[in-house]
Amino acid sequence: MKKLTVLFLLGMFVSCGFAQSKYSITPEIGYNKTSFYNTAQTTEIVTAPLYGIELGGLVTKSGKKGLFIESGLFFEQKGSYQGRGYQALYGTNSNIKISYLQIPLNVGIHKKLKNKDWGILASIGVYGAYGISGTENGTSLGISGTSTINRNVTFVSSVTAPNSNTTYVKPLDFGYQAAVGASYKNLIAKIGYSRGFNSVSPDGSTSYKNDVWTFSLGYKINLL
């Protein structure tokens, strides 16, 4: 999947015809519905969405026939509710929230409709994100009973001797993303979806991948 995405990006970049390219920047604000896509049985672990914000901007290079390539920088809130399944003897019921600085790389197409004010767009690409902060809040049930969880996330790439009182998260997250939307003059509204390639947890065999739906609004500012 990673190789196919990269090849698609390169192919679109070459075919965009940037001899007549135009540049623009688009500040965006969005609302995330975010959870962990995981490999655990629901009898043992259950997840549910949390909600966060997306804030940043894109720099877009547009070519012929509405094709474009874009990148930028975003502040992204991700995470998930994680709880015990009905067969789990021990575990947590908690909200894990993670804040990232994220860089996207997308290619897409933006086609104007007949009256030129309205348009439709679609894009696909990849992202790289770096965790800057995170929290876990909730309760934990163990052999000694129930305890309260209220702690910051510890960012590490791997764990050799895990501590049950620590929440470990990998600092780097890479994944794929896609979006569709509509434009009216310089206003752009989009619905996007993204999922990580790999687990954000460095501890244990269960995979937890960031799984995010986003609704965003932006304002396109033409530069050249």
Side-chain angles (χ1 to χ4, degrees), residues 99-128:
S99 296
Y100 291 93
L101 289 179
Q102 183 163 303
I103 297 175
L105 176 61
N106 303 318
V107 292
I109 186 168
H110 187 181
K111 298 294 290 184
K112 292 290 186 177
L113 302 181
K114 289 183 178 181
N115 66 4
K116 302 298 183 180
D117 285 341
W118 289 91
I120 55 175
L121 66 149
S123 66
I124 187 170
V126 293
Y127 71 83

Side-chain angles (χ1 to χ4, degrees), residues 63-128:
K64 296 178 181 179
K65 299 180 180 179
L67 297 175
F68 65 83
I69 184 168
E70 63 185 7
S71 186
L73 180 65
F74 285 84
F75 171 79
E76 296 273 352
Q77 290 182 323
K78 303 183 183 183
S80 182
Y81 167 81
Q82 179 177 284
R84 299 185 299 274
Y86 69 88
Q87 290 185 356
L89 297 177
Y90 305 111
T92 64
N93 290 332
S94 62
N95 293 331
I96 300 174
K97 298 180 179 180
I98 312 166
S99 296
Y100 291 93
L101 289 179
Q102 183 163 303
I103 297 175
L105 176 61
N106 303 318
V107 292
I109 186 168
H110 187 181
K111 298 294 290 184
K112 292 290 186 177
L113 302 181
K114 289 183 178 181
N115 66 4
K116 302 298 183 180
D117 285 341
W118 289 91
I120 55 175
L121 66 149
S123 66
I124 187 170
V126 293
Y127 71 83

Side-chain angles (χ1 to χ4, degrees), residues 28 30-33 54 76 106 123 176-181 189-195 211-217:
E28 285 189 7
Y31 187 62
N32 290 344
K33 179 181 179 181
E54 167 190 277
E76 296 273 352
N106 303 318
S123 66
Y176 64 89
Q177 57 190 11
V180 295
K190 294 188 296 187
I191 296 175
Y193 174 74
S194 67
R195 179 181 291 180
D211 193 86
V212 182
W213 286 94
T214 301
F215 173 77
S216 63
L217 293 172

Side-chain angles (χ1 to χ4, degrees), residues 91-172:
T92 64
N93 290 332
S94 62
N95 293 331
I96 300 174
K97 298 180 179 180
I98 312 166
S99 296
Y100 291 93
L101 289 179
Q102 183 163 303
I103 297 175
L105 176 61
N106 303 318
V107 292
I109 186 168
H110 187 181
K111 298 294 290 184
K112 292 290 186 177
L113 302 181
K114 289 183 178 181
N115 66 4
K116 302 298 183 180
D117 285 341
W118 289 91
I120 55 175
L121 66 149
S123 66
I124 187 170
V126 293
Y127 71 83
Y130 179 76
I132 56 174
S133 66
T135 59
E136 182 176 12
N137 294 281
T139 60
S140 176
L141 177 62
I143 297 176
S144 58
T146 301
S147 59
T148 300
I149 300 173
N150 183 11
R151 59 196 180 217
N152 292 327
V153 161
T154 298
F155 290 103
V156 291
S157 297
S158 62
V159 179
T160 55
N163 184 331
S164 60
N165 294 319
T166 303
T167 303
Y168 299 105
V169 173
K170 292 180 180 178
L172 297 177

